[in-house]
Amino acid sequence: MNHTAFLTLTLTSLLLVRPTAFAAEPARSTKPNVVVILADDLGYGDLGCYGSKEIRTPHLDRMAAEGLRFTSFYAQAFCGPSRTALLTGCYPLRVAEVGNKKHHMPVPHARETLLSEVLQRAGYATAMIGKWDLAGHEPDRWEHPQNSPLKRGFDRQFGTPASNDFWEKTALFRDDKLIENPVDLTESTTKRYADEAIRFIGEKKGQPFFMYFCPNMPHTALHAGAEFRGKSPRGLYGDVAEELDHHVGRILETLRSEGIEQNTVVLFTSDNGPWLLRKEHGGSAGPLRGGKTSTWEGGVRVPAIAWAPGRIAAGQTCGRIASTLDLLPTFVKLAAATLPENKLDGRDLSAWLLKGPPADEDTATHLYHVNTHLQAVRQGRWKLHLPRPVPVPWLSRGLRRAHIDEADLFEIKSPLLYDLDADLGEKTDVAAQHPDVVRRLLALADKSRAEIGDYDRIGTEARFFDDGPPRPDMNNWKQEPDQKNPAPAKSKSAEKTTSENGASRLDETFDGELSKDWFWSLGTWTAKDGVLRAFESGPRRHGPVKMRKFPLRDGIVECEFRLEGKATFAGIIFNGSQERGHIVHLVMGRDKLRIVAHPKPGENVELLSRANTLAIGEWHRVKIEFQGPRMIATLNDKTFTATLPAIAEEKTTFGLTGDSGGPEGEKAGALEFRKLKITTVP
C-alpha cells in the first residue's frame, strides 16, 4: 500500500543537500534515537494546533511549529488493532496471531516481528512505558504472557497491560512483574510515566534508544494530577489533555537539555479517534464525522506531529495520506536496520522530509477495517464506504453499537462516495456523479479482500503460523441469535409488582430465560433452577457482566452469591444514564470488600476497602441499603457504610459482575447468584 512520507533522512543525505548546515555541531550518530508517543482516544480536534479553542496545548503546538504536522494521518478504529498496526507495519488482518485466530484485541504471533525487536537487534536500548494491549485486554494481568513487552523486544517496561476502563481493576507492572494492584493514583499515571521516560533518556543518552511512550490518557476513566485538576475550560477531559501536553513538553525539554534533540526523532499521535459517547469525558474530532470504533474519518484520522530539530524542517504541514503503518519501515531505515521478512503494508517515508511534502497528486490508498471487517477504502481524495447492515452481526457486541454515535449507525445499501478534499465531514454522497471512481475503489476493495481477507474470507497473503485451520473462529458469529429478528424472550424468572404507596419490587427467581429488561451482557450466563450462573467467554477478555433496567434511588437490594474455582470476586454495579455512566460499585472479593464510587463520569473514588474473607463454594448473603447519599452494605454478618452525594442520584440500571477466574471459561471458575430482590422506597 502507498503512504505519504514524513520522517527524516540519514545524516549523509542531509549533508549532501545542506553541506554547511552542521559545521559547528558535534558529530551525530547515524542511528537517531526514536521516540513514539501514542495518546489514547485523543481526537483530531483536541490540540490547539488542530483547531481546539478550549484545550490549551502549548508544548504540542510548539512541537508542530518546529516540525511537521500531518492532517491526513491514520490509525486503526480502536486500541488493540491500532497498536498492532503500529508495531508490525501491517494491517492487523494480515498479521498472524496465536492459535490462528483473529482476537478482538490482536495477539501477534511470535513469528511476527515488532518494531521493538528490529531496533533491539540493531543495538538500540528499548523501553515500553504506558499501556501495552498486545498480550490480551485484561487490565490486571498478562493474558498472553508470551507477548508481554520484555518478551517482545523491550529491555524495560513500566505501565499497564491494557486500558483503564476501571481504575479499581487496573494494575501496574514494572519489567512485566506486578507492583501495584490496583494502580496507586496519588500521582497521575501520566506524570509517573513521564518521570520514567526522563530517567530512561538520562540513562541511555549515550547510545541509540527507542522509547514507546503510551499514556493511558485521555481514555476514560479520566484521572488528572492535582496540579491540573479543575484548571481547563474543557472540564476534566481538558485537564487530562493539558496535563498530557505538559508532560510531553517535559520529555522534549529533557532531550534539549541533554543535548540530543538533533539526534532524536519524535512522533506524537493517537491510537484512534475520540470516544464520543463519553460526552464531556470524551474528545472532539473537530471537523471530522464520527469517532472511536467507526470508520468515518473521526474514528481513524488522528493528530500526528513529527519533530526532529536539524533533521525535519520546521513549520511544515503534510496533507498526504500517511499512517501508523509507516512507522516501522521508516524507523528501520533510519536505524540502518534490516526489515522483517514478512510482507508489510507500510512504506518508508523518510525520503520526503528534507524537501517537504511533494506537490503532485496523492494517489496513495488506505483501508478502513473494524476488526476483520473491511468497511471503506480511500485513494487520494476519494473515499468509498462499502455496503453494510446495522447492526453488523459479525462484529462483537460492543463494536456493533456500544461505542458508536447513533447518528453514524445506519444501513449502507449501496456504496457511498465522498470527496474528502471538498467534503472533509463526509456529508455529501457523490457516488452517482462519479461512477468511474466508485468502480475503481470497489476494485481496490476486492483486491484487498482477496489478499488479506474480510470478515467472511481468508486472504491469500494473510499469515498463519500455528497448526490447525486458519481463522477457526471466523464463523462464530453465525451461532449467535439473529440481531435483527431475535427470538422473543420467554421469561418466567422475573416478577415486578408495584404497591399502592408507589414502591416497586423486583423478585428474580432465575427459573428460566431472563426478561428483555436484562439488556446487555459479557460472558456466558444461564438461569436454571433458581440460580443465575456466569463465567468468562467470548473474544473480549473481561469478567462476566449482566445488566438490567430497574430505576432505583432509595431502596434495598438483596441476593445471595458464591464463587467457584478460581473466581476472585463478585460485584454489583449501579449506573445512571448512558451519559452519566457508573455511580457506585460493591466489590466482594475473597479477602477484601470494596466500595468504589464515581462522583462524576469517568472519576473514580475508593470510598471503602476492608479485609473480609469469603469461603469458596459457599453461598453468601448481601444486602445493600440506599439512603440518600449513604450506602449500607451487609455481607453475611458484617456491615459496611459509605457516604457520597453521588450515591443519592437515580440509578437507572444495575449489573451483576465479577471475576470468574480467567479466559479458560467454566474450567477456571464461575459466579452464581440467586434470590435477587429489590424494593424501592418512594
Side-chain angles (χ1 to χ4, degrees):
M1 298 296 170
N2 296 321
H3 298 282
T4 307
F6 68 96
L7 289 173
T8 178
L9 295 178
T10 60
L11 180 60
T12 302
S13 299
L14 285 169
L15 292 175
L16 286 173
V17 179
R18 297 169 62 191
T20 62
F22 303 106
E25 298 175 5
R28 294 190 299 191
S29 167
T30 57
K31 293 184 176 183
N33 307 312
V34 175
V35 177
V36 174
I37 303 176
L38 186 68
D40 199 347
D41 290 2
L42 185 76
Y44 186 86
D46 284 335
L47 304 180
C49 54
Y50 283 85
S52 176
K53 303 300 183 185
E54 294 183 296
I55 299 175
R56 299 162 297 196
T57 55
H59 301 286
L60 286 163
D61 296 348
R62 177 184 172 186
M63 182 182 178
E66 294 177 350
L68 175 59
R69 182 177 68 93
F70 294 88
T71 59
S72 197
F73 190 92
Y74 289 96
Q76 301 298 304
F78 60 101
C79 43
S82 196
R83 292 155 202 273
T84 299
L86 189 156
L87 288 173
T88 65
C90 299
Y91 288 109
L93 192 51
R94 184 189 295 279
V95 173
E97 296 189 48
V98 173
N100 291 342
K101 296 181 178 181
K102 299 311 295 181
H103 298 81
H104 177 73
M105 298 292 180
V107 185
H109 196 279
R111 289 173 62 183
E112 292 286 354
T113 304
L114 305 188
L115 172 61
S116 49
E117 294 169 321
V118 176
L119 295 182
Q120 186 183 57
R121 293 167 190 165
Y124 277 66
T126 56
M128 193 283 134
I129 301 172
K131 172 180 172 179
W132 178 236
D133 228 13
L134 265 67
H137 200 57
E138 288 294 335
D140 60 353
R141 65 180 184 270
W142 308 112
E143 184 184 351
H144 297 272
Q146 76 276 15
N147 251 33
S148 62
L150 263 60
K151 294 181 176 66
R152 298 309 308 255
F154 287 100
D155 307 320
R156 177 181 298 189
Q157 178 271 333
F158 181 68
T160 63
S163 59
N164 56 297
D165 300 80
F166 307 100
W167 282 115
E168 62 269 23
K169 298 180 181 179
T170 303
L172 189 70
F173 287 71
R174 179 179 290 282
D175 294 339
D176 290 359
K177 296 180 180 179
L178 178 67
I179 59 172
E180 294 173 13
N181 190 9
V183 59
D184 182 355
L185 294 178
T186 304
E187 292 184 316
S188 72
T189 54
T190 308
K191 180 183 184 303
R192 296 178 70 184
Y193 292 161
D195 291 346
E196 184 76 12
I198 289 168
R199 281 192 292 271
F200 176 75
I201 292 169
E203 293 172 11
K204 303 300 180 182
K205 61 186 177 182
Q207 68 178 101
F209 62 78
F210 168 49
M211 183 170 70
Y212 182 45
F213 183 83
C214 304
N216 296 86
M217 295 292 100
H219 187 292
T220 57
L222 301 177
H223 181 264
E227 180 183 352
F228 296 89
R229 209 172 299 144
K231 301 295 178 62
S232 174
R234 180 58 167 77
L236 180 57
Y237 184 90
D239 295 341
V240 165
E242 291 180 11
E243 180 176 21
L244 174 61
D245 172 78
H246 171 79
H247 291 298
V248 170
R250 289 178 62 208
I251 292 171
L252 298 182
E253 184 54 38
T254 299
L255 296 171
R256 296 185 189 101
S257 64
E258 295 288 2
I260 57 175
E261 78 278 13
Q262 292 199 355
N263 197 42
T264 304
V265 179
V266 182
L267 190 286
F268 175 92
T269 189
S270 179
D271 66 343
N272 47 250
W275 202 343
L276 296 181
L277 291 191
R278 292 305 189 213
K279 304 296 182 182
E280 68 271 17
H281 280 238
S284 167
L288 308 178
R289 180 176 184 174
K292 176 180 178 176
T293 75
S294 81
T295 49
W296 300 101
E297 289 296 288
V300 289
R301 192 188 292 211
V302 291
I305 305 167
W307 180 88
R311 293 178 181 260
I312 297 176
Q316 297 184 88
T317 298
C318 177
R320 301 175 72 88
I321 295 173
S323 81
T324 56
L325 296 166
D326 304 321
L327 300 189
L328 185 149
T330 299
F331 290 140
V332 168
K333 177 65 176 294
L334 292 173
T338 303
L339 285 171
E341 293 182 1
N342 295 328
K343 183 175 181 178
L344 304 180
D345 292 303
R347 294 183 64 205
D348 167 23
L349 305 179
S350 61
W352 297 101
L353 257 198
L354 192 61
K355 296 180 181 179
D360 61 333
E361 181 182 3
D362 187 5
T363 59
T365 62
H366 184 75
L367 305 176
Y368 301 72
H369 295 93
V370 176
N371 271 148
T372 60
H373 185 201
L374 179 65
Q375 294 193 346
V377 59
R378 177 182 175 186
Q379 184 176 48
R381 67 191 297 165
W382 301 107
K383 178 180 178 182
L384 191 74
H385 283 270
L386 304 171
R388 57 180 180 265
V390 167
V392 180
W394 44 84
L395 294 179
S396 63
R397 289 174 183 167
L399 294 176
R400 290 175 194 152
R401 63 171 62 248
H403 298 306
I404 302 174
D405 195 333
E406 289 291 331
D408 297 325
L409 282 170
F410 58 89
E411 182 177 5
I412 299 178
K413 296 182 179 180
S414 59
L416 303 177
L417 181 68
Y418 296 99
D419 178 355
L420 295 181
D421 284 358
D423 181 22
L424 189 58
E426 296 174 279
K427 297 177 181 178
T428 304
D429 172 25
V430 294
Q433 293 92 321
H434 300 279
D436 55 329
V437 177
V438 172
R439 286 192 295 271
R440 185 171 76 245
L441 294 185
L442 285 174
L444 284 173
D446 288 341
K447 182 175 185 291
S448 165
R449 290 190 183 105
E451 291 179 353
I452 65 175
D454 203 347
Y455 75 93
D456 60 349
R457 67 193 71 183
I458 297 169
T460 58
E461 295 182 0
R463 295 190 284 268
F464 304 94
F465 295 135
D466 285 338
D467 293 335
R471 287 178 63 182
D473 50 350
M474 184 168 69
N475 294 316
N476 285 0
W477 65 274
K478 295 180 180 179
Q479 310 304 316
E480 298 185 13
D482 187 337
Q483 299 301 313
K484 289 187 175 181
N485 301 291
K490 296 181 292 184
S491 173
K492 56 181 180 180
S493 69
E495 180 180 354
K496 179 180 177 181
T497 62
T498 302
S499 66
E500 293 182 358
N501 65 3
S504 298
R505 181 177 175 86
L506 172 70
D507 290 285
E508 285 280 8
T509 60
F510 298 134
D511 288 327
E513 293 186 50
L514 301 177
S515 78
K516 62 182 180 181
D517 287 328
W518 293 92
F519 66 96
W520 186 82
S521 65
L522 288 173
T524 297
W525 293 78
T526 56
K528 184 179 179 181
D529 300 329
V531 174
L532 183 63
R533 182 177 177 83
F535 55 88
E536 184 175 327
S537 65
R540 182 177 178 183
R541 297 274 69 90
H542 193 291
V545 183
K546 193 76 171 176
M547 299 299 300
R548 193 192 194 283
K549 300 173 184 177
F550 193 86
L552 170 69
R553 193 177 292 270
D554 286 349
I556 298 173
V557 180
E558 303 174 81
C559 74
E560 295 181 3
F561 70 93
R562 68 178 174 188
L563 310 176
E564 293 186 359
K566 297 179 182 178
T568 62
F569 74 88
I572 305 180
I573 307 170
F574 297 91
N575 293 347
S577 64
Q578 184 172 356
E579 291 77 15
R580 175 59 176 91
H582 304 308
I583 293 176
V584 66
H585 297 186
L586 177 64
V587 182
M588 300 165 288
R590 290 182 177 220
D591 55 9
K592 185 183 293 185
L593 180 142
R594 302 170 63 231
I595 298 177
V596 180
H598 304 265
K600 296 179 181 178
E603 291 186 6
N604 296 270
V605 176
E606 185 174 73
L607 300 181
L608 182 144
S609 179
R610 297 286 187 274
N612 185 73
T613 302
L614 295 179
I616 304 302
E618 296 184 8
W619 286 102
H620 304 281
R621 181 174 180 79
V622 60
K623 177 181 179 181
I624 304 170
E625 298 179 68
F626 289 106
Q627 300 175 356
R630 299 178 69 212
M631 176 178 174
I632 305 167
T634 302
L635 178 56
N636 297 325
D637 58 351
K638 295 182 180 179
T639 299
F640 309 86
T641 302
T643 302
L644 191 75
I647 292 175
E649 297 180 33
E650 183 178 36
K651 295 158 278 290
T652 59
T653 63
F654 72 91
L656 304 177
T657 185
D659 174 22
S660 61
E664 297 83 8
E666 201 167 12
K667 294 179 181 179
L671 309 171
E672 290 190 336
F673 299 87
R674 70 182 185 185
K675 300 180 181 179
L676 174 64
K677 298 180 180 180
I678 302 179
T679 305
T680 67
V681 176

